[in-house]
């Protein structure tokens, strides 16, 4: 009996010690990868410095931002807020939601209050006067609390909802927020916290160290031509690592021979990059072919490939409202396989009668989604007759090609939409990418030469307001010649046929009108790479000739960056 009692007692003690040790281990593990938090009322200094609450008791009477006389001794009050939909109360009585107009109030002093869910209420004392319309503008501010975060190790980076926080104490809107803490060499920590208005949330986070690993290794380009300068003539290899270490990148050809190597300094960040310009270790360009980059670090080895191809030519095109093209004409070729561009252009326009007409400035982007699909967009502003106007457009362009003889046959189409606040080029009848548009394109490409045809139909082409029925059919020819890889000469011409023209007498669209020669468009220019870069400068001239109206002429300066 005594022996059994002793054995049972021993087991109980061992079980207790085991549970105690396990609890300590779990607590330490929880401390290393979790966090502790507490919430308190705001300290007096924080509460007194906050400007979210404005109570009229003992305060001054607010002056209206606008006031005007009205007849008959009546009164009118207009209440506006920076966020519409706020509930408005006068002397505690609900009147409606902003923006709100209240008429025929008895003259005198009132307590005005505006409330909106998620915002601090705003109070003002106002004085209503006979024969006046008074406008009050109330500024609502989000209900906010504070986050006080401490962490180990020092130097960790803290984010709230993806935005980096730089202060120990940060003001956040009331509600749920995802807090992320990270430091190189440590496991990322993420948790959701709820911030209450007028309260302080305190958090302490301890990060856990992670072993070294390589999570990915990629190349920026499938194919590139080192003959070009800047970003388009290089391939960037990127490795992602988790902790400090050392690594080497070796570039080998299809025979397994090393042509270039680079030793990284001690890793101090998650991302390691090496930009290869297509040269070997002796500084000479490697021949065309397939190359493999081998990244070796702390026992890990990953590979990524690219192709050097000196036959790749970057076409020096414009970004039109309907996709990449020449002048205003979308064409069946793109900048190059996998290449994209961003640019800005300005093109002052004169009219043959009246002199200066408009000064538009555009910013555009052309993104190569796949080898055959391109997305483009433009936004612009221009000044005309002392007034400014805005415009915008977006298009998808599908371009294909097939080898033919010693060149290629190109074909494709684009669909898009454009809008302008005030139409340009009176009496209109031009297809320049506004309204809903469809373009069909074909052409022949050989070495440094391209010639193509485009037929384009724009519906509601004057402004882009689809309620308008005016439309234009545009048929164009375009070509470019490249004396070298870095210079292009281009020229284009188009015939515009209009249906549903603007009638100057009635100042409206005549839906029955047809003009097969509404306008003739011509243009040409030169494009060239700025030496040592991927920046393309384009200088060109253009004209719109209306047979029965004044003509428009202009010059265009455009800067595009290819990547």
């Amino acid at each position: 009996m005594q022996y059994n009692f002793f054995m049972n007692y021993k087991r109980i003690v061992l079980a207790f010690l085991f549970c105690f040790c396990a609890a300590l281990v779990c607590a330490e593990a929880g401390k290393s990868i979790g966090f502790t938090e507490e919430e308190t009322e705001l300290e007096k200094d924080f509460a007194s410095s906050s400007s979210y609450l404005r109570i009229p008791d003992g305060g001054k009477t607010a002056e209206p931002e606008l006031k005007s006389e009205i007849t008959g001794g009546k009164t009118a009050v207009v209440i506006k807020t920076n966020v519409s939909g706020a509930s408005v109360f006068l002397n505690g009585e609900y009147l409606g939601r902003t923006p709100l107009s209240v008429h025929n109030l008895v003259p005198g002093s009132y307590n005005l209050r505006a409330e909106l869910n998620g915002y601090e209420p705003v109070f003002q004392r106002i004085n209503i006067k006979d024969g006046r319309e008074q406008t009050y503008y109330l500024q609502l501010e989000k209900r906010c609390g504070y986050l006080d975060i401490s962490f180990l190790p020092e130097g960790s980076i803290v984010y709230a909802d993806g935005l980096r926080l730089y202060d120990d104490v940060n003001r956040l809107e009331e509600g749920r927020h995802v807090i992320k803490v990270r430091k190189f060499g440590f496991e990322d920590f993420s948790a959701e916290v709820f911030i209450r208005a007028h309260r302080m949330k305190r958090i302490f986070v301890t990060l856990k160290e992670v072993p070294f690993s390589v999570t990915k290794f990629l190349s920026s380009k499938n194919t590139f031509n080192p003959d070009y300068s800047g970003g388009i003539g290089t391939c960037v290899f990127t490795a992602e690592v988790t902790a400090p270490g050392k690594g080497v990148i070796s570039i080998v050809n299809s025979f397994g021979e090393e042509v270039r190597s680079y030793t990284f300094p001690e890793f101090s960040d998650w991302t390691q990059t090496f930009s290869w310009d297509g040269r070997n270790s002796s500084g000479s360009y490697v021949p065309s072919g397939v190359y493999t980059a081998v990244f070796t670090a702390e026992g890990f080895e990953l590979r990524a490939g690219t192709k050097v191809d000196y036959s790749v030519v970057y076409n020096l095109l414009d970004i039109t409202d309907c996709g990449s093209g020449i002048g205003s004409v979308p064409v069946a070729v793109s900048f190059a396989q996998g290449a994209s561009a961003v640019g800005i252009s300005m093109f002052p326009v004169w009219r043959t009668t009246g002199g200066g007409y408009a000064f538009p400035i555009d910013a555009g982007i052309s993104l190569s989604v796949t080898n055959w699909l391109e997305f483009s967009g433009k936004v612009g502003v221009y000044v005309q007759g002392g007034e400014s106007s805005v415009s915008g457009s977006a298009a998808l362009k599908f371009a294909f090609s097939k080898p033919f003889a010693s060149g290629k046959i190109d074909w494709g189409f684009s669909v898009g939409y454009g809008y302008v606040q005030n139409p340009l080029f009176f009496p209109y009848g031009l297809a320049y990418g506004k309204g809903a548009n469809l373009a069909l394109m074909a052409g022949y490409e050989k070495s440094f030469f391209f010639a193509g045809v485009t037929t384009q139909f724009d519906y509601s082409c004057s402004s882009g307001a689809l309620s308008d029925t005016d439309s234009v059919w545009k048929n164009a020819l375009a070509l470019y010649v490249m004396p070298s890889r870095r210079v292009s000469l281009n020229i284009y011409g188009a015939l515009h046929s209009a249906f549903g023209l603007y009638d100057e007498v009635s100042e409206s669209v005549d839906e029955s009108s047809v003009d097969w020669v509404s306008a003739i468009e011509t243009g040409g220019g030169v494009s060239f790479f700025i030496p040592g870069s991927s920046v393309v400068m384009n200088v060109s001239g253009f004209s719109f000739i209306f047979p029965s109206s004044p003509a428009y002429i202009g010059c265009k300066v455009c800067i595009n960056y290819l990547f």
Side-chain angles (χ1 to χ4, degrees), residues 457-470:
F457 186 81
D458 288 15
Y459 177 81
S460 187
C461 59
S462 296
S463 65
L466 296 180
S467 56
D468 298 336
T469 59
D470 58 319

Side-chain angles (χ1 to χ4, degrees), residues 235-476:
C235 179
V236 179
F237 297 99
T238 303
E240 296 287 341
V241 300
T242 59
K246 295 181 179 180
V248 176
I249 187 170
S250 299
I251 300 175
V252 299
N253 58 24
S254 57
F255 301 105
E257 301 168 339
E258 182 180 280
V259 298
R260 183 77 178 271
S261 67
Y262 174 75
T263 300
F264 290 93
E266 178 85 16
F267 302 143
S268 59
D269 194 72
W270 293 275
T271 303
Q272 317 302 319
T273 61
F274 172 68
S275 181
W276 186 40
D277 58 3
R279 298 175 186 265
N280 58 25
S281 298
S282 63
S284 302
Y285 285 111
V286 299
S288 293
V290 176
Y291 292 83
T292 302
V294 183
F295 179 69
T296 306
E298 304 296 332
F300 288 84
E301 182 178 290
L302 281 77
R303 295 169 178 261
T306 189
K307 182 180 180 181
V308 173
D309 187 352
Y310 293 96
S311 68
V312 172
V313 176
Y314 288 87
N315 300 313
L316 308 187
L317 303 176
D318 298 299
I319 303 174
T320 79
D321 289 281
C322 305
S324 55
I326 298 174
S328 69
V329 180
V331 295
V333 293
S334 300
F335 286 96
Q337 179 178 327
S340 301
V342 293
I344 186 170
S345 60
M346 56 188 72
F347 43 102
V349 182
W350 294 266
R351 188 164 48 185
T352 52
T353 58
Y357 175 68
F359 190 85
I361 300 176
D362 287 339
I365 184 169
S366 172
L367 296 176
S368 177
V369 182
T370 68
N371 290 338
W372 47 267
L373 175 59
E374 169 197 296
F375 168 79
S376 62
K378 294 183 73 175
V379 293
V381 61
Y382 67 86
V383 177
Q384 178 188 18
E387 296 183 359
S388 61
S389 182
V390 295
S391 64
S393 64
L396 287 174
K397 175 178 156 181
F398 302 80
F400 311 92
S401 64
K402 184 176 181 179
F404 179 78
S406 58
K408 291 189 295 185
I409 293 180
D410 305 302
W411 72 95
F413 66 94
S414 70
V415 291
Y417 174 78
Y419 176 79
V420 63
Q421 189 176 3
N422 296 311
L424 284 170
F425 308 118
F426 182 87
Y428 320 129
L430 281 177
Y432 63 107
K434 300 303 179 279
N437 54 75
L438 169 67
L440 304 178
M441 302 159 280
Y444 180 71
E445 181 182 4
K446 182 178 180 180
S447 187
F448 299 108
F449 167 82
F450 170 82
V453 295
T454 299
T455 183
Q456 176 181 332
F457 186 81
D458 288 15
Y459 177 81
S460 187
C461 59
S462 296
S463 65
L466 296 180
S467 56
D468 298 336
T469 59
D470 58 319
S471 56
V472 172
W473 182 24
K474 174 180 178 179
N475 291 282

